[in-house]
Amino acid sequence: MNLLALDTCDARGSVSVLRDDHILHTVDHDTPDDYSIWLLPAIDRALQASGLGFADIDVYVAASGPGSFTG
């Protein structure tokens, strides 16, 4: 099962792609960019680095906050 996980709860968030219980790739939010600018390119980088596309993702997971982006 391929999983795309998003954490935008605080300034140290990340995007990860996992297959079963193995992390394929993680992109950390290590820039001053707002999530609205950073998130979609980070997802694209994580998927490309994992050799997957959106159609290959079986489950989407998002942290539930708190945070101004997820709020």
Side-chain angles (χ1 to χ4, degrees):
M1 178 179 300
N2 296 319
L3 183 142
L4 176 64
L6 311 173
D7 180 358
T8 60
C9 293
D10 64 19
R12 298 175 309 269
S14 63
V15 172
S16 293
V17 179
L18 298 88
R19 176 171 291 133
D20 299 323
D21 60 351
H22 297 93
I23 299 171
L24 300 178
H25 194 77
T26 297
V27 177
D28 292 319
H29 183 240
D30 57 2
T31 72
D33 293 338
D34 290 335
Y35 279 117
S36 59
I37 295 168
W38 175 85
L39 187 59
L40 290 179
I43 291 170
D44 187 50
R45 285 194 307 273
L47 288 172
Q48 285 186 18
S50 301
L52 301 172
F54 278 107
D56 300 312
I57 298 299
D58 301 303
V59 177
Y60 296 91
V61 178
S64 62
S68 62
F69 190 76
T70 57

